[in-house]
Amino acid sequence: MTRTDSVVAIYPGSFDPITLGHEDVVHRTLRVADRIVVAVAHTATQSKELLFTVDERLEMIREVFEDEGNIEVTSFSGLLVDFARDLGAHFIVRGLRAVSDFEYEFQMAQMNRELWHEFETVFLTPDAKYSFLSASLVREVSRLGGDISRFVSPTVLQRLEEKHGE
Ligand code: ADP
């Protein structure tokens, strides 16, 4: 990827909704990048069933990071490699929670490199306390009325409660 003055990372995902695990990965990325673009994918991978619209997800992420100038929030459709190339990003970042994440992530990184040979994927592991956390578990526990306040920011908690009509 081409080098500009500041190092730019893209963090792509569904973020349905953003969890403290995602937030942890964003802050860790900023130790090695000057700027991070959190990019909500219009097309869900791995046939995920979605709870929030892309606009709702973008609003939540913007609220979570509203005081942080080096974090940009946007959405993208089509191929991630095209989006990364257009943006002039240096690498994309993905979180690795457990071995179970590895196979899919490894395949995707290799396929993206096939599509664009300059494509780099950097994997970061979250704090151990988030290593079991996924957006789908948060959705499920919240839907069943469980307490998820330790896993998401207050703004996300509120949105989840509204969705589930509590
Ligand atoms: P999820 O698997 O939670 O639905 P996304 O599709 O939004 O997540 O994933 C975006 C990226 O964030 C993926 O690389 C995923 O592995 C990573 N990620 C999700 N949750 C966590 C977490 N708790 N800790 C570290 N990385 C995570």
Side-chain angles (χ1 to χ4, degrees):
M1 298 185 180
T2 22
R3 253 211 97 101
T4 54
D5 289 341
S6 56
V7 176
V8 181
I10 295 178
Y11 184 23
S14 341
F15 305 106
D16 186 39
I18 184 164
T19 68
L20 295 187
H22 295 126
E23 291 183 39
D24 187 70
V25 169
V26 167
H27 290 124
R28 283 174 198 285
T29 304
L30 286 172
R31 293 179 177 169
V32 292
D34 302 299
R35 214 152 57 78
I36 182 167
V37 178
V38 181
V40 176
H42 274 276
T43 321
T45 49
Q46 295 178 303
S47 339
K48 283 180 192 166
E49 216 175 281
L50 298 166
L51 178 64
F52 291 99
T53 65
V54 169
D55 284 340
E56 288 171 328
R57 284 179 265 155
L58 287 170
E59 277 168 27
M60 280 186 277
I61 303 169
R62 289 198 177 110
E63 282 164 15
V64 164
F65 297 123
E66 66 184 345
D67 299 324
E68 294 170 84
N70 45 2
I71 302 172
E72 244 174 74
V73 183
T74 189
S75 62
F76 73 101
S77 44
L79 283 177
L80 177 60
V81 287
D82 293 335
F83 176 67
R85 193 164 23 199
D86 290 349
L87 213 78
H90 299 85
F91 62 90
I92 72 139
V93 62
R94 298 285 292 174
L96 275 187
R97 288 161 287 199
V99 178
S100 50
D101 277 341
F102 181 79
E103 194 171 350
Y104 174 72
E105 292 293 338
F106 181 75
Q107 284 181 349
M108 203 159 57
Q110 295 298 348
M111 176 54 89
N112 282 328
R113 168 98 37 79
E114 286 295 319
L115 295 172
W116 180 30
H117 71 282
E118 287 183 48
F119 194 91
E120 297 298 346
T121 306
V122 170
F123 296 104
L124 294 178
T125 51
D127 188 291
K129 64 177 182 280
Y130 303 130
S131 58
F132 63 92
L133 189 56
S134 70
S136 53
L137 256 185
V138 161
R139 292 197 299 274
E140 176 130 6
V141 174
S142 160
R143 186 171 59 83
L144 298 171
D147 178 13
I148 45 142
S149 57
R150 276 172 296 135
F151 311 129
V152 294
S153 281
T155 176
V156 176
L157 185 64
Q158 196 186 328
R159 297 267 190 153
L160 276 162
E161 285 172 357
E162 283 165 14
K163 269 277 176 211
H164 295 128
E166 286 169 16

